[in-house]
């Protein structure tokens, strides 16, 4: 049977994958957001993960996006790529996955395969998602339809490590289906695939990737706090230590986004549900979640040391997205700097040429600007290392007596008053 693919969820993960699949297979992208679908069919991706040239080329070659469920009923290989956020208490929120599974259940037919890409803890695909598909479709798992799991490895804003250039982990609910899933992915992934022995192993592999990175960043964040108290530059220490061949290179900073700042909570809850309290994972999360407040406090201390009046001072924050060179503000930890400084009654300006002011206002209730202001400030905080900031004349933005704090160690060390 000819493989016809439907990718459900056309965000940072789903759209690049769907576009890639469309180079080899008849592919339909499905998303409930009609405005998003209309923009994509017009040839523009607002996330900037897929260039207009690539997207328009794919559309010209038969790829299409839709918000109409009838358009995906004749597919036989469904890929679910929806967000897996946490709620206000940092508990996994599976509602997007349940909703996508219900959608699959309404259109899936006998013999079809559904593959999940969303990051989850081990067991979610078979214990949480598949029962929804079964209930909605009336079909029986591993008899009438089959499943797989192939965790996404998209790095937003990275134009070097694109989806086809990152090795892909695959898995299936039966040995035969696992081979089929692996075959479909390996036909488009230039970097190759790794076939895991089970869906749970593939799920676990994904969730520990980002948990490991989170813990390592937490370690250097703690080092940064220690070395600041000792009067030692953290960057200098890390540079010296990195001369050893097996030293792992990580830098201190804010840890946000929809992966590193979220996935450890999925693993932690899974561990707790099985009677184990994960100490290191949650300690790393506490350390990283507190870095925004720490940065704000350090800036205020530096202002006081320079005898700058804190209340009412004008502060410029450079960058609001969760990482450099992309418009994604999901789970940005720059908001922690903003909220902490607001408690000191400061006059804050947030400049980010990448972030959508409307999205920042809707998601966080804060005002951001896309054009550089022509004022001078009592303190400037470089929070995100956008490439566009390399040519910024930061000196012109500072009052004669002011503070410059570099969260990302992006600026020349001798030009800043403080950095992580």
């Amino acid at each position: 049977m000819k493989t016809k693919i439907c990718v459900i969820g056309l965000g940072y993960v789903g759209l690049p994958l769907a576009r890639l699949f469309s180079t080899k297979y008849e592919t339909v992208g499905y998303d409930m957001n009609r405005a998003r679908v209309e923009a994509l069919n017009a040839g523009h991706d607002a996330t900037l993960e897929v260039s207009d040239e690539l997207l328009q080329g794919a559309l010209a070659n038969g790829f299409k996006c839709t918000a109409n469920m009838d358009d995906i009923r004749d597919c036989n290989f469904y890929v679910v790529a929806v967000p897996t956020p946490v709620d206000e208490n940092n508990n996994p929120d599976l509602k997007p996955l349940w909703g996508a599974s219900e959608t699959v259940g309404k259109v899936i037919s006998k013999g079809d395969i559904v593959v999940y890409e969303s990051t989850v803890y081990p067991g979610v695909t078979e214990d949480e998602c598949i029962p929804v598909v079964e209930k909605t479709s009336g079909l029986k798992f591993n008899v009438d339809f089959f499943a797989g799991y192939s965790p996404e490895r998209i790095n937003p804003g990275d134009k070097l490590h694109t989806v086809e250039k990152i090795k892909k982990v695959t898995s299936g609910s039966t040995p035969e289906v696992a081979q089929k899933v692996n075959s479909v992915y390996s036909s488009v992934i230039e970097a190759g695939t790794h076939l895991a022995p089970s869906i749970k192993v593939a799920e676990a592999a994904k969730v520990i990737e980002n948990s490991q990175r989170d813990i390592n960043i937490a370690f250097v964040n703690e080092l940064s706090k220690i070395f600041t108290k000792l009067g030692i530059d953290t960057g200098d220490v890390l540079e010296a230590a990195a001369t050893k061949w097996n030293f792992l290179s990580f830098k201190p900073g804010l840890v946000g986004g929809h992966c590193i700042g979220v996935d450890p909570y999925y693993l932690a809850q899974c561990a707790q549900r099985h009677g184990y309290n994960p100490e290191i994972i949650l300690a790393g999360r506490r350390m990283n979640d507190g870095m925004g407040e720490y940065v704000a406090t350090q800036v205020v201390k530096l202002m006081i040391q320079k005898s700058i009046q804190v209340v009412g001072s004008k502060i410029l924050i450079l960058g609001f997205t969760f990482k450099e060179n992309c418009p994604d503000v999901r789970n940005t930890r720059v908001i922690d700097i903003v909220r902490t400084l607001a408690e000191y009654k400061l006059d804050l300006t947030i400049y980010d040429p990448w972030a959508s002011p409307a999205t920042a206002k809707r998601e966080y209730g804060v005002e951001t600007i896309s054009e550089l202001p022509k004022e001078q400030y009592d303190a400037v905080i470089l929070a995100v290392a956008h490439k566009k900031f390399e040519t910024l004349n930061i000196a012109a933005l500072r009052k004669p007596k002011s503070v410059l704090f570099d969260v990302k160690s992006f600026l020349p060390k001798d030009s800043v008053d403080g950095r992580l």
Side-chain angles (χ1 to χ4, degrees), residues 265-304:
Y265 288 121
Y266 276 71
L267 183 56
Q269 191 193 70
C270 177
Q272 290 168 336
R273 288 174 62 180
H274 286 78
Y276 180 81
N277 186 47
E279 298 179 19
I280 294 176
I281 294 170
L282 291 179
R285 280 282 73 236
R286 285 192 296 271
M287 173 60 65
N288 288 338
D289 275 351
M291 289 307 291
E293 181 179 2
Y294 173 76
V295 167
T297 302
Q298 290 300 108
V299 170
V300 171
K301 285 181 178 179
L302 289 168
M303 291 175 69
I304 293 171

Side-chain angles (χ1 to χ4, degrees), residues 123-364:
V124 167
T125 298
E126 293 158 296
D127 300 338
E128 296 284 348
C129 299
I130 294 306
V132 175
V133 178
E134 283 188 310
K135 181 179 179 180
T136 307
S137 66
L139 301 177
K140 188 171 179 58
F141 178 48
N142 276 343
V143 175
D144 300 317
F145 75 96
F146 306 88
Y149 183 79
S150 180
E152 61 89 2
R153 280 177 166 171
I154 293 291
N155 187 25
D158 190 336
K159 303 308 178 187
L160 180 63
H161 302 97
T162 50
V163 59
E164 67 271 22
K165 296 176 182 176
I166 303 173
K167 194 163 188 174
K168 204 85 163 63
V169 174
T170 64
S171 64
S173 55
T174 69
E176 296 76 20
V177 169
Q179 291 293 339
K180 169 67 174 177
V181 171
N182 192 65
S183 175
V184 170
Y185 276 95
S186 63
S187 68
V188 295
I189 302 294
E190 297 173 12
T193 59
H194 173 86
L195 179 55
S198 70
I199 287 176
K200 284 186 176 67
V201 167
E203 290 170 324
K206 169 57 182 178
V207 80
I208 71 165
E209 289 175 20
N210 289 325
S211 297
Q212 181 189 65
R213 186 165 177 80
D214 190 47
I215 291 166
N216 278 301
I217 297 172
F219 174 59
V220 294
N221 275 336
E222 186 162 63
L223 293 180
S224 177
K225 291 183 175 183
I226 294 170
F227 295 145
T228 295
K229 288 186 174 295
L230 296 176
I232 303 172
D233 185 83
T234 306
D236 289 344
V237 175
L238 295 175
E239 183 180 354
T243 59
K244 189 168 187 282
W245 79 93
N246 61 351
F247 183 80
L248 301 179
S249 181
F250 288 89
K251 292 183 178 180
L254 305 177
V255 183
H258 62 295
C259 290
I260 301 177
V262 172
D263 296 354
Y265 288 121
Y266 276 71
L267 183 56
Q269 191 193 70
C270 177
Q272 290 168 336
R273 288 174 62 180
H274 286 78
Y276 180 81
N277 186 47
E279 298 179 19
I280 294 176
I281 294 170
L282 291 179
R285 280 282 73 236
R286 285 192 296 271
M287 173 60 65
N288 288 338
D289 275 351
M291 289 307 291
E293 181 179 2
Y294 173 76
V295 167
T297 302
Q298 290 300 108
V299 170
V300 171
K301 285 181 178 179
L302 289 168
M303 291 175 69
I304 293 171
Q305 289 169 10
K306 286 194 172 188
S307 299
I308 299 172
Q309 172 67 38
V310 175
V311 175
S313 290
K314 297 174 71 66
I315 311 294
L316 175 63
I317 298 176
L318 298 173
F320 189 71
T321 58
F322 93 87
K323 66 176 294 186
E324 64 277 2
N325 307 321
C326 83
D328 195 349
V329 299
R330 286 178 297 173
N331 194 34
T332 176
R333 295 336 307 166
V334 180
I335 190 63
D336 298 330
I337 300 176
V338 173
R339 288 171 177 164
T340 303
L341 290 176
E343 294 176 2
Y344 289 93
K345 308 300 181 184
L346 299 168
D347 181 4
L348 303 177
T349 298
I350 307 169
Y351 165 60
D352 195 318
W354 281 89
S356 162
T359 302
K361 181 68 173 178
R362 181 180 68 250
E363 298 296 327
Y364 298 99

